[in-house]
């Protein structure tokens, strides 16, 4: 049974930082590219960041570039999202997801491309 479990969400003031973690079990972690998405109230889920299975390649949404950093530790089966300089508009439920890469395909930003999802963790940024 595949499980993705996020942790690290919470309430933070604008300008603060949080680090989200997501642990995968039930599959071989290094076989998957990993992504973070978020969904704010009344909005569609949107791409935040992705990292390749080896960690050598990353991709970010323009809205978080320079503030968020995605990383992974394959020995711990865990992907991270370091979020700095948080803004109220970053408030959302954050989801991690696993994507089994296809030959010739790069990091994907469409949520329908991902195979497995976590339950989400709430991030609230107060002004």
């Amino acid at each position: 049974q595949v499980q993705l479990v996020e942790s690290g969400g919470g309430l933070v003031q604008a300008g603060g930082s949080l680090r989200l973690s997501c642990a995968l079990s039930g599959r071989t972690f290094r076989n998957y590219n990993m992504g973070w998405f978020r969904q704010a109230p009344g909005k569609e889920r949107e791409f935040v960041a992705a990292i390749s299975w080896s960690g050598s390649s990353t991709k970010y949404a323009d809205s978080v570039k320079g503030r968020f950093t995605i990383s992974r530790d394959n020995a711990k089966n865990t992907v991270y999202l370091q979020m700095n300089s948080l803004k109220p508009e970053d408030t959302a439920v954050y989801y991690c997801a696993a994507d089994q890469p296809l030959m010739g395909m790069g990091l994907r930003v469409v949520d329908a491309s991902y195979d497995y999802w976590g339950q989400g963790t709430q991030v609230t940024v107060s002004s």
Side-chain angles (χ1 to χ4, degrees):
Q1 181 182 356
V2 181
Q3 263 199 316
L4 285 166
V5 179
E6 300 103 334
S7 61
L11 174 64
V12 64
Q13 286 190 331
S17 298
L18 282 175
R19 188 175 85 152
L20 306 183
S21 300
C22 172
L24 182 145
S25 60
R27 287 291 185 273
T28 303
F29 183 67
R30 64 180 179 272
N31 287 349
Y32 291 86
N33 295 338
M34 299 297 295
W36 286 96
F37 291 76
R38 67 187 181 185
Q39 187 168 21
K43 295 188 176 181
E44 293 191 351
R45 188 161 55 188
E46 65 175 359
F47 170 77
V48 175
I51 187 167
S52 62
W53 65 270
S54 65
S56 62
S57 180
T58 58
K59 182 177 287 188
Y60 296 92
D62 288 343
S63 59
V64 306
K65 215 171 278 186
R67 300 188 299 122
F68 290 11
T69 303
I70 188 170
S71 62
R72 65 188 295 159
D73 185 340
N74 285 350
K76 295 183 178 179
N77 295 344
T78 301
V79 62
Y80 305 96
L81 186 68
Q82 178 66 44
M83 305 185 295
N84 298 329
S85 302
L86 282 161
K87 304 174 181 180
E89 51 263 45
D90 294 319
T91 295
V93 177
Y94 283 71
Y95 300 90
C96 71
D99 173 26
Q100 190 154 33
L102 300 177
M103 187 71 70
M105 295 290 292
L107 295 172
R108 298 197 278 190
V109 303
V110 176
D111 56 359
S113 303
Y114 285 71
D115 303 296
Y116 304 108
W117 290 83
Q119 81 288 349
T121 186
Q122 176 71 46
V123 171
T124 303
V125 184
S126 63
S127 56

